[in-house]
Amino acid sequence: MLVDFAEIGKGCAKILLLVLNGCCILIAICAITFSIVDINTLKQYGEGRSVGTTVGDVGIMTACLLLVAIAAFGSVGAVKGNVKILYMYIGFLMIMVVLEMMIAIYVSVQRYGLEFRLTEWLRDDFFRNTTDVDEETHAKVWDTLQATYECCGLNGPEDYVAVQKEISLSCCPRAYRARSTYAQEQLYKFCIQGSGYYSIGCEDQILLLLRSDATWLIGVAITCFWFEAAGMLLATWVAKNAIYEATHRKKSSRY
């Protein structure tokens, strides 16, 4: 019995295209989840400073939803061997590649701008003179930042010494999480005596997080590009096989 390598090749191409589309859908879902989390994170920096980056996240989610729809569309075409659907799928992927490149460039530019805006805000806000009215609000903002990012001061705990203030309670994680006032006082005392507070400044910590997020997003865009390029090649292969089969059947029916 002879092995039909052509049939095996066609079957492998369909399976690979389905697996590839499944991976694209999975990546898109992960990117959507990341974008939602990122939007919630950016809200702490204020609407005015993060609005452009938030728009970028919305653009990413929109592109990911489109990618899910296109991948599902291409999977239907691969299963049915429908040439029209497969060529439409290839066309949609080409549009997606261009769209993703535009979104990636926009997000990169906005992230870069956000770094400058945040740096300026952090420096101005930490060292600004506060009155008794806004002292509590100012302290809450920095308590939230320091507890969330596990940092202390602008560039480190020594910044509190520079402004002639005690190191914030939120710089000491165990003391800050304590429920009773007595426990907070004791744990804070041990924290200060043993230098158990966070040693990294909030500016470096936040910028590091923003840069890692930008790197991750660019990595996703590059991964999607290669997946989409492979999807176009496989879809072309499956479509050509379907055309060849249709032509061969027509020739066979004539004889």
Side-chain angles (χ1 to χ4, degrees):
M1 184 177 178
L2 296 174
V3 178
D4 192 343
F5 289 103
E7 285 295 326
I8 293 173
K10 286 185 285 185
C12 288
K14 284 186 178 181
I15 292 170
L16 284 173
L17 185 55
L18 290 171
V19 171
L20 204 63
N21 285 329
C23 291
C24 284
I25 291 171
L26 184 62
I27 291 171
I29 292 170
C30 291
I32 289 170
T33 305
F34 173 84
S35 297
I36 293 170
V37 173
D38 193 51
I39 288 172
N40 291 329
T41 303
L42 292 172
K43 283 180 180 178
Q44 356 178 29
Y45 308 138
E47 295 294 333
R49 282 176 287 272
S50 63
V51 62
T53 314
T54 303
V55 170
D57 282 327
V58 173
I60 290 169
M61 288 190 287
T62 304
C64 287
L65 290 172
L66 288 173
L67 182 59
V68 170
I70 291 169
F73 185 69
S75 298
V76 172
V79 171
K80 291 185 175 182
N82 190 303
V83 178
K84 289 183 179 180
I85 292 177
L86 287 169
Y87 279 126
M88 287 175 67
Y89 167 70
I90 293 168
F92 287 144
L93 284 181
M94 289 179 179
I95 295 170
M96 279 300 301
V97 168
V98 175
L99 180 62
E100 286 167 357
M101 286 179 61
M102 292 173 65
I103 291 173
I105 293 169
Y106 177 81
V107 169
S108 298
V109 171
Q110 289 298 326
R111 291 267 168 181
Y112 194 65
L114 180 61
E115 287 184 22
F116 280 102
R117 291 193 297 273
L118 272 178
T119 298
E120 186 178 358
W121 170 68
L122 288 169
R123 291 174 181 177
D124 290 344
D125 193 73
F126 186 84
F127 290 111
R128 72 182 174 88
N129 293 321
T130 56
T131 62
D132 294 336
V133 177
D134 60 354
E135 176 64 32
E136 186 177 351
T137 303
H138 180 264
K140 283 182 179 179
V141 169
W142 280 91
D143 283 344
T144 302
L145 288 174
Q146 289 171 159
T148 302
Y149 296 102
E150 298 183 352
C151 55
C152 187
L154 180 65
N155 297 303
E158 60 275 5
D159 287 335
Y160 281 100
V161 179
V163 294
Q164 298 180 345
K165 290 182 180 180
E166 292 184 352
I167 292 175
S168 175
L169 180 69
S170 56
C171 291
C172 299
R174 292 182 62 191
Y176 189 67
R177 290 194 295 266
R179 296 185 178 182
S180 67
T181 304
Y182 177 76
Q184 282 186 342
E185 291 175 354
Q186 295 302 312
L187 289 171
Y188 177 75
K189 187 185 298 182
F190 291 135
C191 173
I192 299 300
Q193 290 173 353
S195 299
Y197 39 79
Y198 298 126
S199 59
I200 302 174
C202 290
E203 182 181 354
D204 290 338
Q205 196 78 331
I206 293 171
L207 291 180
L208 180 65
L209 179 65
L210 285 176
R211 286 164 188 165
S212 65
D213 288 349
T215 302
W216 190 88
L217 288 171
I218 292 170
V220 169
I222 293 171
T223 303
C224 284
F225 170 78
W226 287 112
F227 272 56
E228 287 159 1
M232 285 186 272
L233 290 173
L234 286 171
T236 303
W237 186 10
V238 174
K240 285 184 176 180
N241 285 332
I243 292 171
Y244 175 78
E245 284 182 357
T247 306
H248 184 71
R249 279 197 299 267
K250 284 181 180 179
K251 287 182 179 179
S252 300
S253 63
R254 290 176 184 175
Y255 295 103

